[in-house]
Structure formats: structure tokens, C-alpha cells
Amino acid sequence: MSKFDKIAVLQKMAQTGVIPVFYHADAEVARQVVKACYAGGVRVFEFTNRGDFAQEVFADVMKYARKSCPELAIGVGSVVDAPTAALYIQQGADFVVGPLLNEDVAKVCNRRSVPYVPGCGTVSEVGKAQELGCDLVKAFPGEVLGPKFVKGIMAPMPWTRIMVTGGVEPSGENLKAWREAGAFCVGMGSKLFPKDRVADGDWGYITEKCRVSISRFLNP
């Protein structure tokens, strides 16, 4: 079962602001990336469900993190159906993220007090997600919607918590734009993990990139 409940996960997201989004078929590489992110101050990590046997890699990483990164909440991303959500929750996922809104996933997550962060691209979808009990929604794809989308929602619905994924970069200008628009937190993938750095095992680069990104988002 999950190590951290819904309130604890949301608090960690608020405290650090930047959530690494990562997948790799090699469990050892995934473990090293998690370790590097944790050293850089990351306390919430999203492992995406994007490859064959991804759940096996997730289980391996989860067992490692429980011992070596005790304050890290690990969730699963790219979830589009309830059976997949249930599978990962059984393996200890602390939260579930999806590119779309699925009512059945919301029911599974609510039953276990696990945060569900659905992808929303319209105000109506955001409102529907809130009705289903989602405390946090994902503005996705961020590069298409842009900071103005976030700002536009926050004006009439200031209680909304929005995580932006897609189009998020580690630059001060980019992170400042999302933060000032009203983003609660941001998810960052390829820009945080350049393929060549991962291939070379340059974990120090990732640690520093995480540390700088968190600082830039929290202090725009």
C-alpha cells in the first residue's frame, strides 16, 4: 500500500514544486536517477507507465526508495484506466497521474486515499475532476495550453491546484512564467534528463539540475 497519504503527498508537492517525470526499462538506471533526484532535493517522483513490464521496474524502484530515499513519494504516470491504477497502487504508488480524465480511475484512487491527478485541457474538465474528488489536476499538454491557460483558470477558480506537465524547462524564465501564472507544481521530463547524460551515468548533473530547478520555481 501507499506509504504517504493524500495530504502528505500534496504537502510534498507544495514544498518542492518540481516533480521529475521519468521512465527507463533498466531498473538499475531508474534507481540511480531516483537517487540523484533525491540528493537534489526532490521529494516527489513520477515514474511513467510507458514500456513493457514497466510495473516490474516500478516495483524494483519502489523497494529501493523505501529503504534509501525514505521521504520520497513515488507515483505512477501515463495511467489511462482503472485496472492499471489498481495494479500500481497495489505496488505502493503514492499517487496516480494520467494524460486524461477517467472517472473509474478516480473511484479506485479515492477508495484508497491516493491522489489522482488527471490531465485536463478545458475549464469544464477541471471542474469535472474537482467534482470527482481530485485535489490536483494536470494542465496537459502544457506546451500547447501555455501559462495563460493556468492564469485564466485561476481567476474565476482560485481554489484550483494545477500541475503543469509538458513544455516545462529548467530555465528560470520558464519556471517563473508557470509559477507566476498560478501553477501549484510542475512535472519535468526530458529537459531534466537529457538522454546523453543518462547514458553516460552523469548523476551529478541530474542532482544539480534538480536542485537549481526547485530553487527557481519556489523563488521566481
Side-chain angles (χ1 to χ4, degrees), residues 70-109:
E71 295 303 315
L72 184 66
I74 300 182
V76 59
S78 301
V79 173
V80 299
D81 55 67
T84 301
L87 171 65
Y88 279 94
I89 290 174
Q90 186 63 29
Q91 293 180 330
D94 292 304
F95 60 97
V96 174
V97 182
L100 48 77
L101 173 62
N102 184 309
E103 294 188 25
D104 291 331
V105 174
K107 292 177 182 178
V108 168
C109 291

Side-chain angles (χ1 to χ4, degrees), residues 91-160:
Q91 293 180 330
D94 292 304
F95 60 97
V96 174
V97 182
L100 48 77
L101 173 62
N102 184 309
E103 294 188 25
D104 291 331
V105 174
K107 292 177 182 178
V108 168
C109 291
N110 287 337
R111 185 174 293 116
R112 299 289 288 272
S113 191
V114 171
Y116 172 42
V117 189
C120 298
T122 68
V123 178
S124 294
E125 286 181 334
V126 171
K128 183 62 177 180
Q130 292 172 338
E131 290 178 2
L132 292 171
C134 300
D135 296 289
L136 177 68
V137 298
K138 180 172 77 167
F140 181 79
E143 65 268 32
V144 175
L145 299 172
K148 290 183 178 180
F149 174 79
V150 176
K151 186 176 181 179
I153 288 179
M154 296 303 293
M157 302 164 65
W159 57 85
T160 305

Side-chain angles (χ1 to χ4, degrees), residues 8-118:
V9 172
L10 290 173
Q11 288 176 334
K12 289 178 181 292
M13 290 177 171
Q15 290 165 0
T16 56
V18 175
I19 302 171
V21 179
F22 183 78
Y23 167 78
H24 201 285
D26 188 323
E28 175 58 25
V29 172
R31 286 194 296 269
Q32 291 299 325
V33 167
V34 166
K35 181 180 179 181
C37 290
Y38 192 73
V42 168
R43 291 300 177 266
V44 183
F45 187 97
E46 179 185 331
F47 180 88
T48 55
N49 175 52
R50 292 187 180 177
D52 292 337
F53 308 109
Q55 74 279 4
E56 295 180 8
V57 178
F58 179 85
D60 187 292
V61 171
M62 180 62 76
K63 292 175 183 178
Y64 166 79
R66 288 281 177 90
K67 295 180 179 179
S68 302
C69 310
E71 295 303 315
L72 184 66
I74 300 182
V76 59
S78 301
V79 173
V80 299
D81 55 67
T84 301
L87 171 65
Y88 279 94
I89 290 174
Q90 186 63 29
Q91 293 180 330
D94 292 304
F95 60 97
V96 174
V97 182
L100 48 77
L101 173 62
N102 184 309
E103 294 188 25
D104 291 331
V105 174
K107 292 177 182 178
V108 168
C109 291
N110 287 337
R111 185 174 293 116
R112 299 289 288 272
S113 191
V114 171
Y116 172 42
V117 189

Side-chain angles (χ1 to χ4, degrees), residues 169-178 216:
E169 302 177 4
S171 69
E173 181 180 3
N174 184 272
L175 292 171
K176 180 179 180 180
W178 290 117
R216 286 173 173 170

